[in-house]
Amino acid sequence: GGKDAVNTTIINFNNEKMQVTWATRELFPNENVSFFYAFGEGKYNVWKPCTTYLLDQDYNSGCLFKTEGPTLAISIRNNNGSEELFAKKLKTDFYIKPSPPENVTFFWDEDTVTVSCNKPQRNAWCLRLELQYKSKFDKEWQSRTSKCCSIGEQGFDPRKCYSFRVRLERLEPYCNVVKYSSDWAAETFWMNGTLLDSCDDDITPRSKTVIVLSCLLAVLLMMFILLILLCKWQRVQMSVLPAIPDPKCPFADLFNDHNGNLQEWLDKNYCVVLQTKLEYEEPESITEAESQQEDGKNSDKQGPLQKTFTFSGADENNDSKAAETACLIPASKTTDPFAGCHILMNDDMYVML
């Protein structure tokens, strides 16, 4: 009970600044207390009021001031400072919280890493260097501690990326009554002795080769797919839009020898027309009779240069140029004269020249 029962938290930041805090809402509800401090061991201390308060919901809950000596006396009083609520004397060296390590270096030797930092000027024997690391496949940090200010660890996989962080720790109870550690130094990322911006940048030459090969395979696959689509498109186009036959094929001599002069070609060659067989069969006697009648009529009307053609199966086999012209004859019983040739046509047939 009494004035010594107040629970306070005291931190000496690297022997440079002091911070004293208290639970104001639990200890002094609805009351805004004031804080005073004094350095020195004399009976008559010069009390200094706090100039930098820490607030908790607009109530004073702590004070921040400069460290000026090894011995400190603190006093918490009521709002106007007339009544002392709490008083305590302490050694500031027992509450030191060290600063983060400075100039941290990493030395790699195969699977071994040695981490070191600058050695503090005061009481370096009270400090321990703590190293924590983990790979991108680990969930928990691995921790190692050594005396200030160097630490080595082995067993690192050169194929993995590791995160490293270090801090200084104050020994307890030899140097501190409270175990204080510094804040962590900046986290760094390493892989096989190479400093990276992050483990997401874990890209090795081997992985670059894999990426290049993957891209090349993807391009080849796309070209193969496009070739297949092109072949299928040509098949579809041929089935929907069939090609028109070139008349130069069945009438090669007409265009090559006579420059397309049909009359000259007809005068020099026999008029050749193939008769295609219809799905229904007509009596041969009727066809032959009609052919003879037409032959008789044409022989009376035409001169010696005019020739009459019949479309019988025997003529089709004997004449080699009949296959080139590929004349299709309709089934009508009418005759159409063309350039001295009389062609027998049916309703279901057509003539192609």
Side-chain angles (χ1 to χ4, degrees):
K3 297 179 180 180
D4 294 334
V6 175
N7 186 18
T8 57
T9 301
I10 302 169
I11 303 176
N12 183 2
F13 292 102
N14 199 35
N15 213 24
E16 296 174 358
K17 285 188 177 182
M18 297 292 302
Q19 176 181 291
V20 180
T21 58
W22 55 88
T24 184
R25 289 188 298 171
E26 298 176 1
L27 300 174
F28 314 108
N30 301 323
E31 183 178 0
N32 208 358
V33 297
S34 58
F35 180 84
F36 294 84
Y37 66 94
F39 287 95
E41 297 181 357
K43 295 182 179 180
Y44 302 99
N45 295 327
V46 179
W47 294 99
K48 297 180 180 180
C50 179
T51 57
T52 305
Y53 279 102
L54 305 177
L55 302 179
D56 182 7
Q57 295 184 359
D58 296 331
Y59 288 95
N60 296 336
S61 62
C63 182
L64 186 64
F65 51 96
K66 183 180 179 180
T67 303
E68 299 176 359
T71 304
L72 172 65
I74 59 176
S75 175
I76 299 177
R77 304 175 185 180
N78 60 1
N79 191 17
N80 56 18
S82 59
E83 180 183 358
E84 188 175 66
L85 304 177
F86 172 75
K88 184 176 182 179
K89 286 187 177 182
L90 53 96
K91 294 290 185 180
T92 57
D93 289 343
F94 289 162
Y95 298 88
I96 292 179
K97 179 177 180 178
S99 297
E102 299 178 353
N103 193 22
V104 181
T105 58
F106 291 81
F107 176 76
W108 289 76
D109 183 13
E110 296 181 354
D111 65 339
T112 303
V113 179
T114 302
V115 184
S116 59
C117 66
N118 287 348
K119 189 175 182 179
Q121 296 179 357
R122 295 182 56 189
N123 299 328
W125 66 274
C126 287
L127 298 175
R128 291 292 181 268
L129 181 63
E130 182 181 4
L131 169 67
Q132 287 191 348
Y133 63 90
K134 67 177 181 178
S135 71
K136 61 181 181 180
F137 303 104
D138 299 328
K139 295 182 180 180
E140 301 291 337
W141 288 94
Q142 310 257 354
S143 183
R144 297 292 184 271
T145 304
S146 178
K147 65 179 182 179
C148 186
C149 287
S150 179
I151 185 173
E153 182 66 13
Q154 60 182 5
F156 291 95
D157 190 343
R159 297 171 296 179
K160 294 181 181 180
C161 178
Y162 291 89
S163 303
F164 291 91
R165 63 181 185 180
V166 292
R167 67 179 178 180
L168 291 175
E169 182 181 277
R170 185 88 170 174
L171 290 179
E172 178 205 3
Y174 307 104
C175 300
N176 266 29
V177 294
V178 181
K179 187 176 181 179
Y180 283 146
S181 299
S182 70
D183 295 333
W184 291 104
E187 185 176 350
T188 56
F189 306 91
W190 295 81
M191 179 177 179
N192 196 21
T194 302
L195 179 63
L196 304 176
D197 293 335
S198 68
C199 281
D200 296 334
D201 298 333
D202 179 10
I203 301 176
T204 62
R206 180 180 178 182
S207 61
K208 290 182 180 179
T209 304
V210 172
I211 292 175
V212 172
L213 292 178
S214 301
C215 295
L216 182 60
L217 290 177
V219 172
L220 293 177
L221 181 60
M222 291 179 63
M223 293 177 63
F224 180 71
I225 294 174
L226 290 176
L227 183 61
I228 294 177
L229 294 177
L230 182 60
C231 294
K232 289 188 176 182
W233 169 249
Q234 289 180 351
R235 291 183 180 180
V236 172
Q237 189 176 15
M238 291 178 62
S239 61
V240 176
L241 300 173
I244 300 175
D246 191 352
K248 290 183 180 180
C249 296
F251 297 98
D253 54 349
L254 172 61
F255 292 97
N256 295 335
D257 299 339
H258 303 284
N259 284 332
N261 192 331
L262 184 60
Q263 183 62 47
E264 181 181 342
W265 178 74
L266 289 174
D267 291 343
K268 189 173 181 180
N269 301 280
Y270 291 101
C271 295
V272 181
V273 181
L274 294 178
Q275 178 182 8
T276 58
K277 294 183 179 182
L278 304 177
E279 293 181 357
Y280 60 91
E281 295 182 357
E282 295 183 356
E284 294 183 359
S285 59
I286 297 176
T287 305
E288 293 177 357
E290 291 178 351
S291 300
Q292 292 176 1
Q293 292 177 1
E294 294 297 329
D295 292 338
K297 292 179 182 180
N298 293 334
S299 61
D300 295 337
K301 296 180 181 180
Q302 303 295 333
L305 295 177
Q306 296 174 336
K307 301 177 178 60
T308 305
F309 293 90
T310 61
F311 307 101
S312 62
D315 292 337
E316 180 181 357
N317 295 329
N318 294 331
D319 196 346
S320 61
K321 292 187 178 181
E324 297 178 358
T325 57
C327 298
L328 303 178
I329 304 176
S332 67
K333 294 181 175 57
T334 61
T335 60
D336 292 337
F338 181 75
C341 297
H342 291 271
I343 302 172
L344 180 63
M345 299 182 66
N346 295 327
D347 294 336
D348 298 334
M349 305 178 69
Y350 65 93
V351 175
M352 181 181 70
L353 294 178

